[in-house]
Amino acid sequence: MKVVIVSPTYNEIENVADLILQVHSTTPESDILIVDDNSPDGTHKLVRELMKTDPQLHLIVRAGKMGLGTAYCEGFKWALKNGYDRVIQIDADLSHNPVEIPVMLEESKTFDVIIGSRYIKGVNVANWPLRRLMLSYFANIYSRIITGLPVKDSTGGFKCFNSKVLEAIELDKIKSEGYAFQIEMNYLSWIKKFKIKEIPIVFVDRTVGKSKMSKKIIYEAIWMVPKLKLKRILGLI
């Protein structure tokens, strides 16, 4: 399989080098694509320096802070254009452990979408404040009840896609961010009859840098869930 790991960044200069090193150590045959939103802290400049000695490292620099969802979609389109068979999305803040990537790739031989799930076996989250944990946990229950999506962690950002899934989704039409983006991608994969599997992971909150979570991201997810259900009823997706 030809594999690429896609990670959007915005002010992740403290984490990105470690992420690249860890990914290479777990899956040395995989390529890495960093999609940077012109980080003021110079994240993209550091990646360019690392690229000089790393032929498996690639970079897209966008004009400015345009958001997680569109960054992933741009990365997905790049991956399809360059003929990758599997595309893995991973946060740059080291909250996802790259050691799980080989497990995802093995499962992807049978399933089309692999989700690194925090809630498939209890609650596997470390260092989150209770308020943030409750928000995430009940957001997943909410999306499952409204849409019928049979996924316990539909808001998680550690996933592996078979390229045929991304080819079947109209990526240019996806404008959502954060939680909403994750839910939308899972929902579209599900209604298009692709096989989804969750595998247990342990999510560890970032130790350096700042979270990108905001009220806007939360409200967007709240409205996205019934919107997806309605669009399916109306035959728009």
Side-chain angles (χ1 to χ4, degrees), residues 74-89:
E74 190 156 347
F76 293 162
K77 287 186 283 187
W78 181 93
L80 293 176
K81 181 179 178 181
N82 287 278
Y84 289 92
D85 304 300
R86 300 290 187 273
V87 183
I88 291 174
Q89 63 170 70

Side-chain angles (χ1 to χ4, degrees), residues 28-45:
E29 72 282 1
S30 300
D31 287 349
I32 302 170
L33 172 65
I34 302 298
V35 183
D36 187 74
D37 276 3
N38 200 19
S39 296
D41 73 352
T43 300
H44 55 286
K45 295 177 182 178

Side-chain angles (χ1 to χ4, degrees), residues 9-10 13 30 32 35 54 81 126 144 154 192 201 219 234:
T9 55
Y10 186 77
I13 196 168
S30 300
I32 302 170
V35 183
D54 186 349
K81 181 179 178 181
R144 192 160 65 246
S154 59
K192 290 179 182 295
I201 64 165
Y219 294 147
L234 297 175

